[in-house]
Amino acid sequence: MNKAMRAALKALSYPDLNVKKNYQSLRQVKNITSPKLPFYKTWDHQVSRDGYDIPVRLFAPNGCPAGMLVFFHGGGWVTGNIDSYTRVCADMARITGRLVISADYRLAPEHRFPAALEDCYAVAEEVYACSSLFGMQWEQIVLIGDSAGANLAAAVSLMARDKGRFLPSAQILIYPATYFDHSERSPFRSVQENGTGYLLTAKRICDYMELYQSGPEDRTNPYFAPLLAQSFEHQPRTLIITAQYDPLRDEGEAYGRRLAEAGNEVEVYRIADALHGFFALPPHFMHVKRTYEYINRFLNGVDA
């Protein structure tokens, strides 16, 4: 990455932005900048849980779907929704040839941990329970998420194993948050190296986590920080994608190592010169194109 690009990124990183005070404005920006795709084949639905309806949006690929992706969006558990990720999910359905189901889980700080996780688990559980309605077998259903959504996908897989009602056969975690500390005390070098000057700052991650947690005790909960799990056994076949200039890079890769050490099948790829959030770029961008190459190869292995 050249010096001019580094300088531009530093100027855009807003190190002093107080997410805890400005999260509502960040949500509005995401919604305003989200493209509308009325021409794309979608279907809005709700998953009912304890008297509360969780909105979901289905994105159909061209032709008969080869499988199903249950998608949890990023945004630090605080921003993002199915509207802001509509283009991403439409592209995902088209490029993978899979039916994509995007979950509009509740956001913090209005709904703190474990609300988002409970919503995502409820959506996944219903999809697995009703898989025959979509003409799918369980092994054709894959959990996928980016950033905070990847954290939720990993936590859903852990919770599914622990509850024993269903178990995903595969998960795709795109630059996942798996640890609880992104301060100067973090054990991960990427937090120190990439914590400033690369759009997503370590301070911003700390702010998001403070908004997400119900209390300090949540930080030792493996459903909050999956890297703290007591056991990593009996987890889905996993694809992890990290970005070179991402504060979350090392903890995502560490999660892959822990899964592999426990006997799970894991693939981990680091996208060179990429920043956190790159997956939301249009698919013709090199980093996104490369990521979809990894995803499709992984999915074809699942279906084989």
Side-chain angles (χ1 to χ4, degrees):
M1 187 178 295
N2 60 45
K3 292 182 178 179
M5 179 62 74
R6 289 181 186 273
L9 288 172
K10 185 175 182 180
L12 291 169
S13 295
Y14 306 116
D16 295 324
L17 178 66
N18 190 324
V19 172
K20 290 182 284 186
K21 290 184 178 180
N22 297 289
Y23 67 89
Q24 291 179 327
S25 297
L26 290 173
R27 288 178 185 169
Q28 292 173 358
V29 169
K30 280 185 176 288
N31 290 335
I32 290 171
T33 58
S34 300
K36 305 299 180 184
L37 298 177
F39 56 87
Y40 206 85
K41 187 177 179 182
T42 64
W43 177 45
D44 285 349
H45 182 56
Q46 292 84 35
V47 171
S48 296
R49 173 191 170 275
D50 297 334
Y52 168 74
D53 290 333
I54 307 161
V56 297
R57 181 168 295 164
L58 283 68
F59 298 81
N62 297 322
C64 183
M68 184 184 302
L69 302 176
V70 181
F71 179 74
F72 307 131
H73 67 77
W77 310 276
V78 173
T79 69
N81 53 40
I82 52 178
D83 289 330
S84 65
Y85 270 79
T86 283
R87 185 192 55 76
V88 172
C89 291
D91 289 336
M92 192 184 307
R94 177 178 57 83
I95 296 170
T96 65
R98 267 71 178 174
L99 179 68
V100 175
I101 299 181
S102 179
D104 203 10
Y105 56 85
R106 289 171 292 175
L107 299 176
E110 295 88 347
H111 306 282
R112 295 177 180 265
F113 177 82
L117 173 59
E118 291 172 343
D119 290 354
C120 291
Y121 177 86
V123 170
E125 184 177 39
E126 175 155 311
V127 168
Y128 278 90
C130 302
S131 60
S132 61
L133 295 178
F134 299 100
M136 303 285 175
Q137 301 296 320
W138 277 27
E139 58 269 20
Q140 292 178 286
I141 303 171
V142 177
L143 303 184
I144 179 171
D146 69 320
S147 192
N151 165 280
L152 292 167
V156 166
S157 292
L158 291 171
M159 182 176 282
R161 178 201 62 191
D162 297 342
K163 288 180 177 289
R165 297 174 186 167
F166 68 94
L167 184 63
S169 62
Q171 61 180 353
I172 299 171
L173 312 179
I174 301 172
Y175 35 76
T178 66
Y179 199 58
F180 67 91
D181 187 356
H182 300 85
S183 69
E184 65 279 358
R185 298 181 299 275
S186 169
F188 296 110
R189 189 178 66 180
S190 62
V191 174
Q192 315 307 330
E193 292 180 347
N194 304 327
T196 58
Y198 295 103
L199 297 184
L200 178 67
T201 65
K203 176 184 180 299
R204 195 174 301 185
I205 299 170
C206 292
D207 286 349
Y208 281 136
M209 285 199 158
E210 285 189 35
L211 289 171
Y212 180 45
Q213 69 181 35
S214 293
E217 65 279 1
D218 291 337
R219 301 213 172 207
T220 59
N221 189 324
Y223 297 150
F224 184 95
L227 198 52
L228 300 183
Q230 294 273 328
S231 170
F232 295 90
E233 295 180 345
H234 307 298
Q235 283 299 277
R237 180 170 177 255
T238 301
L239 170 65
I240 295 177
I241 302 291
T242 65
Q244 180 178 356
Y245 295 111
D246 183 357
L248 301 180
R249 181 195 69 204
D250 291 352
E251 66 192 75
E253 294 173 4
Y255 194 64
R257 288 193 296 272
R258 296 300 300 273
L259 289 174
E261 289 166 0
N264 302 288
E265 188 175 348
V266 183
E267 299 176 35
V268 180
Y269 299 99
R270 180 186 297 184
I271 305 299
D273 292 327
L275 305 176
H276 186 90
F278 76 84
F279 191 62
L281 294 170
H284 65 267
F285 278 79
M286 176 183 64
H287 302 325
V288 184
K289 185 176 181 180
R290 175 62 57 85
T291 297
Y292 273 116
E293 290 173 359
Y294 291 134
I295 288 174
N296 279 330
R297 189 170 70 188
F298 177 81
L299 291 173
N300 290 334
V302 169
D303 294 341

